[in-house]
């Protein structure tokens, strides 16, 4: 069966309304429990920001490290850290998570984008800085693309030698505040038309009301998809999940109907060319 990398992003952004039925994990214990349950179901990777106990982005590693330690006691799931998140942190503070040896992959935002009434700034010099930090940490970058121009930025930076090929794209689409691109097959086709052959790609759908676009992406050849409270609480119209594991279970049912199955962490490592 075709293998799909399934990522879980378990923690909702600060400021979002949490449905009454949903249990948004914030403490290391709660996040780790959710992630371990997802790993047991078949999740390949977890996407984590460095947050404090209120869910705010921070440069302090205590909660992040404790969470990973708890996860590692029961799971070999791939740890993907974020070098993003709208904040006033410095360049180094935004990628402080790379100081944690367990981090094997890191998100790398490939350009600036409107974010609500402000702008999420990621300049080319900043991108080069974070790419270098990811390389020195021995991690693999997942390139977060919020706009068509970001796809070509990947190619330019690869030509410079800043990024290693093959590239690993993550198309960030949806009606939420973090993206300018709509979540539909036409947008995915446009982004794929600019993508390099031989690269892998995946999708995360911000503020999704159901998992239809994830199924569409898999049908279009996506190597990876993502669910979790960071993106959405909903697996179907008007139906919010109680836990991240419940969201994941619905996605796994879609994979099965499409003749696919989730990659194990080690299979995902091979697919992404990780050194481990």
């Amino acid at each position: 069966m075709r293998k799909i990398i399934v990522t879980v992003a378990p923690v909702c952004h600060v400021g979002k309304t949490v449905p009454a039925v949903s249990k948004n994990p914030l403490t290391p214990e709660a996040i780790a429990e959710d992630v371990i349950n997802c790993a047991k179901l078949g999740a390949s990777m977890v996407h984590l920001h460095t947050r404090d106990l209120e869910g705010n982005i921070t440069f302090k590693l205590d909660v992040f490290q404790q969470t990973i330690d708890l996860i590692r006691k029961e799971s070999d799931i791939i740890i993907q850290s974020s070098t993003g998140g709208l904040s006033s942190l410095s360049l180094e503070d935004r990628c402080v998570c790379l100081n944690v040896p367990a981090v094997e992959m890191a998100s790398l935002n490939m350009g600036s984008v409107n974010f609500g009434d402000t702008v999420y700034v990621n300049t080319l010099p900043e991108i080069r800085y974070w790419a270098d930090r990811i390389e020195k940490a021995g991690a693999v970058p997942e390139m977060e693309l919020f706009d068509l121009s970001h796809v070509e930025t990947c190619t330019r930076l690869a030509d410079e030698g800043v990024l290693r090929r093959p590239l690993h794209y993550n198309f960030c689409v949806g009606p939420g505040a973090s993206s300018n691109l709509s979540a539909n097959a036409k947008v995915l086709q446009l982004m794929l038309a600019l993508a390099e052959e031989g690269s892998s790609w995946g999708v995360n759908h911000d503020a999704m009301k159901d998992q239809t676009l994830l199924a569409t992406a898999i049908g279009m050849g996506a190597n990876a998809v993502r669910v979790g409270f960071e993106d959405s609480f909903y697996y179907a119209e008007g139906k919010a999940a109680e836990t991240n594991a419940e969201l994941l279970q619905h996605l796994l049912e879609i994979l099965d109907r499409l003749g696919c199955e989730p990659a194990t962490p080690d299979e995902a490592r091979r697919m992404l060319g990780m050194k481990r």
Side-chain angles (χ1 to χ4, degrees):
M1 298 177 74
R2 182 173 151 216
K3 300 288 185 176
I4 304 294
I5 298 171
V6 177
T7 300
V8 175
V11 184
C12 170
H13 289 300
V14 171
K16 279 189 177 181
T17 300
V18 180
V21 69
S22 302
K23 299 176 181 177
N24 183 44
L26 288 177
T27 66
E29 292 80 8
I31 296 171
E33 180 181 4
D34 237 6
V35 171
I36 290 167
N37 288 337
C38 288
K40 289 177 179 177
L41 286 173
S44 318
M45 179 157 50
V46 58
H47 172 82
L48 292 172
H49 292 257
T50 49
R51 302 179 188 270
D52 60 24
L53 292 176
E54 283 72 48
N56 298 300
I57 301 295
T58 179
F59 64 91
K60 297 180 180 180
L61 285 171
D62 51 348
V63 174
F64 185 77
Q65 182 69 68
Q66 185 182 354
T67 303
I68 291 176
D69 290 344
L70 289 170
I71 292 171
R72 273 289 171 262
K73 287 182 178 180
E74 297 188 47
S75 171
D76 195 34
I77 193 170
I78 296 170
I79 306 295
Q80 181 195 85
S81 67
S82 173
T83 61
L86 189 66
S87 71
S88 58
L89 297 180
S90 69
L91 269 67
E92 178 58 28
D93 287 345
R94 276 180 60 172
C95 64
V96 68
C97 51
L98 294 170
N99 295 324
V100 177
V103 170
E104 297 177 73
M105 193 169 206
S107 63
L108 179 61
N109 299 288
M110 298 308 297
S112 302
V113 64
N114 288 335
F115 197 107
D117 294 331
T118 186
V119 178
Y120 182 29
V121 178
N122 299 284
T123 67
L124 279 172
E126 291 171 341
I127 296 169
R128 292 186 183 99
Y129 176 87
W130 292 316
D132 181 63
R133 286 285 283 105
I134 293 171
E135 174 73 14
K136 289 177 178 176
V140 173
E142 176 189 86
M143 290 155 293
E144 312 303 323
L145 313 176
F146 298 91
D147 190 75
L148 290 177
S149 64
H150 297 176
V151 188
E152 294 196 324
T153 298
C154 295
T155 296
R156 294 190 187 104
L157 292 180
D159 288 343
E160 287 181 18
V162 173
L163 298 173
R164 291 177 180 265
R165 291 183 169 99
L167 304 174
H168 305 293
Y169 304 106
N170 186 45
F171 300 151
C172 304
V173 299
S178 62
S179 178
N180 286 331
L181 292 173
S182 299
N184 56 54
K186 183 178 181 179
V187 165
L188 296 183
Q189 289 171 340
L190 289 170
M191 300 185 87
L192 283 172
L194 296 174
E196 293 190 7
E197 290 187 12
S199 299
S200 67
W201 67 282
V203 172
N204 69 271
H205 179 179
D206 187 35
M208 62 181 146
K209 295 181 180 179
D210 58 44
Q211 297 180 351
T212 302
L213 188 74
L214 302 184
T216 300
I218 294 167
M220 293 174 67
N223 307 95
V225 287
R226 189 174 103 172
V227 292
F229 289 167
E230 181 172 329
D231 300 333
S232 174
F233 295 97
Y234 296 91
Y235 58 87
E237 186 71 37
K239 296 182 179 180
E242 180 178 350
T243 65
N244 284 284
E246 185 180 353
L247 278 181
L248 176 61
Q249 185 62 59
H250 286 277
L251 175 61
L252 296 179
E253 291 170 5
I254 292 173
L255 289 185
D256 184 63
R257 289 197 293 271
L258 293 174
C260 302
E261 64 182 4
T264 67
D266 280 342
E267 288 170 339
R269 289 181 177 101
R270 289 193 290 272
M271 292 166 70
L272 295 168
M274 291 179 172
K275 296 177 181 179
R276 180 174 173 179

